[in-house]
């Protein structure tokens, strides 16, 4: 099995010491080829410089009888990042990856494997297991509390929880505006209804209007900074921008068997692609086009200027 193979390699080749803090997970996170060497790499140099840095050099066999040279320089203080290591391999795969995403070729992986800090690796696994157990216990406690609340609600207000949840579901399937209008009407009914709404929507969820409303220099809308902070925590996009007409291009028009013509558009700015039966693009946000930007409002002119919305709209 894979674990047995790992254990065998650990016992048979880990003869060059270790890099304290170098774990198997770190190597696997940027591992390139999953293939293993036919034979273990041979260490030909393991030395320490005057400044405390360590240098390792190996030879590893490749296909067709080729022999590759692997060099690794380790700083005196290793802070658990492979970026701190100076790594080189003379194999073709290492050369190909030189200017792209850093991935370890199978030769470098096999050599660094011999330097894994197995005590640190086991400690890392234990910590992950402890975090998983803790998270599971917290989730179980939360579920138990919710179940307790449900039983208490049903005992004191039989059927009401199910009725309210079903009603909210029905309104959500239509539109939120209808629910908002209904709640707004409730505010005008009596002191009692306002008191109930005040308890339901606390000042944390619905803070009072801020003394100063801000203007979004991107979309032009005015917004309340307090609510913007709330919406950010719930990942709600309050600011949305349509694809600038000057950045939208018509790629092609496709005639289907039923005679319907669909036009393929692409926004050069955000790279989004969509189809439409209209041959011309209108600068509007629709279900088909989506938005060119969806995020938070911004009152910083410098940030918006760097985004160059004004230039793309001219």
């Amino acid at each position: 099995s894979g674990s047995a193979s790992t254990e065998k390699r650990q016992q048979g080749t880990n003869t060059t010491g270790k890099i304290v803090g170098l774990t198997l997970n770190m190597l696997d996170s940027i591992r390139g080829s999953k293939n293993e060497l036919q034979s273990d790499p041979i260490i030909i140099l393991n030395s320490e410089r005057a400044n405390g840095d360590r240098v390792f050099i190996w030879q590893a066999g490749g296909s067709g009888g080729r022999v590759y040279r692997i060099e690794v320089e380790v700083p005196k203080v290793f802070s658990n990042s492979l970026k701190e290591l100076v790594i080189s391999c003379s194999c073709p795969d290492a050369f190909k990856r030189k200017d792209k995403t850093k991935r370890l070729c199978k030769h470098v992986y096999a050599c660094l494997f011999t330097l894994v800090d197995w005590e640190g690796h086991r400690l890392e696994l234990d910590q992950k297991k402890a975090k998983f157990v803790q998270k599971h216990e917290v989730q179980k406690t939360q579920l138990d509390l919710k179940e307790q609340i449900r039983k208490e609600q049903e005992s004191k207000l039989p059927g009401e929880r199910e009725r309210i949840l079903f009603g909210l579901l029905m309104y959500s399937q239509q539109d939120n505006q209808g629910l908002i209008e209904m709640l707004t009407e409730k505010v005008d009914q009596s002191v009692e209804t306002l008191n109930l709404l005040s308890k339901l929507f606390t000042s944390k969820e619905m803070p009072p209007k801020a003394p100063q409303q801000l203007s979004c220099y991107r979309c032009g809308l005015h917004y309340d900074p307090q609510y913007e902070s709330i919406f950010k925590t719930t990942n709600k996009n309050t600011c949305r921008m349509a694809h600038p007409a000057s950045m939208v291009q018509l790629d092609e028009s496709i005639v289907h068997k039923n005679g319907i013509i669909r036009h393929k558009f692409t926004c050069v700015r955000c790279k989004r692609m969509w189809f439409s039966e209209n041959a011309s693009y209108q600068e509007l946000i629709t279900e088909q086009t989506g938005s060119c930007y969806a995020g938070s409002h911004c009152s910083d002119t410098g940030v918006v200027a760097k985004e160059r919305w004004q230039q793309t709209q001219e």
Side-chain angles (χ1 to χ4, degrees):
S1 65
S3 59
S5 174
T6 298
E7 189 66 26
K8 182 179 178 181
R9 290 179 60 188
Q10 174 191 345
Q11 294 173 350
T13 65
N14 195 3
T15 58
T16 58
K18 66 179 179 182
I19 300 176
V20 177
L22 178 65
T23 64
L24 186 60
N25 183 57
M26 293 173 62
L27 295 185
D28 288 340
S29 66
I30 60 169
R31 184 179 184 179
S33 172
K34 300 294 184 182
N35 297 328
E36 294 191 1
L37 301 185
Q38 294 181 355
S39 59
D40 293 333
I42 301 172
I43 183 77
I44 59 177
L45 178 66
N46 176 4
S47 66
E48 184 174 324
R49 292 174 176 163
N51 62 359
D53 292 353
R54 295 166 67 189
V55 180
F56 299 91
I57 300 178
W58 294 265
Q59 284 184 345
S63 58
R66 297 181 181 86
V67 177
Y68 300 118
R69 180 184 176 93
I70 302 93
E71 298 184 15
V72 175
E73 296 182 23
V74 185
K76 180 179 180 181
V77 180
F78 178 66
S79 303
N80 301 343
S81 173
L82 288 178
K83 294 180 180 180
E84 301 172 27
L85 305 182
V86 180
I87 303 171
S88 66
C89 179
S90 60
C91 78
D93 286 340
F95 179 76
K96 290 176 184 176
R97 298 190 182 98
K98 184 177 180 181
D99 299 320
K100 298 182 180 180
T101 303
K102 187 173 182 181
R103 293 287 172 184
L104 300 180
C105 67
K106 61 183 179 182
H107 311 100
V108 172
Y109 181 88
C111 294
L112 287 178
F113 190 94
T114 67
L115 303 177
V116 166
D117 178 3
W118 292 102
E119 292 179 1
H121 174 68
R122 284 188 287 271
L123 177 61
E124 184 180 62
L125 293 179
D126 290 341
Q127 290 174 340
K128 286 184 177 180
K129 182 179 179 181
K131 286 182 180 179
F132 175 80
V133 172
Q134 183 181 17
K135 182 179 179 180
H136 179 73
E137 290 177 348
V138 170
Q139 290 176 339
K140 187 178 183 303
T141 301
Q142 292 174 341
L143 289 174
D144 290 344
L145 179 60
K146 286 182 179 180
E147 183 61 27
Q148 181 181 343
I149 292 174
R150 289 192 189 99
K151 289 181 179 180
E152 187 176 354
Q153 288 175 336
E154 188 60 30
S155 174
K156 295 183 178 180
L157 300 167
E160 286 299 283
R161 175 187 174 85
E162 184 178 355
R163 179 181 68 83
I164 295 297
L165 288 176
F166 181 75
L168 291 173
L169 176 62
M170 292 297 99
Y171 274 104
S172 67
Q173 291 176 350
Q174 300 303 315
D175 62 78
N176 293 329
Q177 189 61 35
L179 180 60
I180 292 172
E181 289 176 357
M182 183 181 70
L183 292 175
T184 303
E185 291 176 0
K186 294 291 183 182
V187 172
D188 294 329
Q189 282 188 356
S190 65
V191 175
E192 287 75 16
T193 55
L194 179 59
N195 184 42
L196 289 173
L197 290 172
S198 297
K199 292 179 178 179
L200 181 61
F201 302 109
T202 66
S203 58
K204 183 178 180 181
E205 292 88 15
M206 287 188 177
K209 184 178 179 179
Q212 182 180 5
Q213 302 294 290
L214 300 180
S215 177
C216 177
Y217 287 105
R218 187 186 296 108
C219 68
L221 294 177
H222 295 284
Y223 66 95
D224 190 305
Q226 299 174 111
Y227 282 88
E228 190 68 14
S229 299
I230 295 173
F231 295 146
K232 274 186 180 180
T233 60
T234 55
N235 296 320
K236 291 183 179 178
N237 298 320
T238 52
C239 179
R240 301 183 71 195
M241 295 290 287
H243 306 285
S246 61
M247 304 298 288
V248 174
Q249 62 184 25
L250 175 61
D251 296 329
E252 60 178 329
S253 299
I254 304 172
V255 181
H256 293 269
K257 292 182 180 179
N258 56 9
I260 296 178
I261 302 176
R262 300 189 72 204
H263 307 279
K264 179 184 175 183
F265 292 91
T266 300
C267 176
V268 179
R269 180 186 176 94
C270 69
K271 310 302 180 185
R272 183 182 174 88
M273 181 271 292
W274 68 91
F275 288 91
S276 173
E277 294 183 8
N278 296 321
S280 60
Y281 167 71
Q282 292 184 327
E283 202 166 299
L284 298 171
I285 298 175
T286 66
E287 185 176 349
Q288 289 177 321
T289 66
S291 54
C292 193
Y293 171 87
S296 302
H297 289 304
C298 182
S299 59
D300 189 329
T301 55
V303 171
V304 177
K306 290 180 180 179
E307 296 174 356
R308 300 172 64 85
W309 287 103
Q310 189 62 36
Q311 286 87 334
T312 57
Q313 291 174 341
E314 291 176 349

